[in-house]
Amino acid sequence: MNIPAGIFVLGLGSDLCNIDRIENSVTRFGDRFINRIYTPHERARAERRPITRFGTYAKRFAAKEACSKALGTGFRRGVFWRDMGVVNLPSGAPTLALTGGAAARLAEITPAGHIAEIHLTMTDDRPWAQAIVLITARPL
């Protein structure tokens, strides 16, 4: 992969998640689990997909794990699950919208005069869901 001049890689993270594990957590803990981990937008998207509901949740779980790794914090230093929400760009490509401690950490690692971009890829093939996050910074 060629990275154009002036573009910095700020972080890279990946995660592999077992869909059955997420299904078991949703079944056992219900809304308590879902509301702790997922944004309202993510929940609405998963609930619209009854056949692939748990795969949808699992991919987003993996994306949050991967993002926390790319930020270099994990779920520490004020970075919480719901600070990272999977959304889609106008092109349809997935990315992550950050709030709270995750947004603060992203601002902290972004060089002055640059804007951070979060690249996300997700896939699932039962029983696995995977996500990879690449955070780059490009000049303004």
Side-chain angles (χ1 to χ4, degrees):
M1 175 172 150
N2 284 335
I3 299 175
I7 303 287
F8 294 98
V9 173
L10 301 179
L12 174 66
S14 69
D15 191 66
L16 183 66
C17 178
N18 186 289
I19 296 170
D20 296 330
R21 182 175 142 236
I22 298 300
E23 182 175 1
N24 291 340
S25 293
V26 170
T27 300
R28 181 172 179 195
F29 300 109
D31 285 345
R32 197 170 89 206
F33 174 77
I34 292 171
N35 292 332
R36 179 174 176 246
I37 304 296
Y38 303 99
T39 66
H41 175 79
E42 292 171 314
R43 183 177 184 166
R45 185 168 191 115
E47 296 302 324
R48 284 193 307 266
R49 300 175 167 183
I51 295 171
T52 59
R53 176 179 177 218
F54 299 113
T56 300
Y57 277 132
K59 284 189 288 192
R60 281 148 183 78
F61 189 96
K64 293 164 186 277
E65 285 275 7
C67 186
S68 74
K69 294 170 185 175
L71 290 170
T73 59
F75 292 99
R76 298 182 322 253
R77 296 181 55 197
V79 175
F80 298 102
W81 290 100
R82 289 184 8 150
D83 288 347
M84 298 165 280
V86 175
V87 296
N88 293 88
L89 298 172
S91 66
T95 189
L96 286 147
L98 305 187
T99 59
R105 175 61 180 162
L106 182 62
E108 182 183 312
I109 65 173
T110 303
H114 287 72
I115 186 165
E117 295 178 335
I118 301 174
H119 310 274
L120 168 63
T121 184
M122 301 182 296
T123 190
D124 67 295
D125 186 7
R126 197 166 193 115
W128 301 109
Q130 180 183 31
I132 299 171
V133 171
L134 175 66
I135 303 175
T136 60
R138 65 172 169 82
L140 287 172

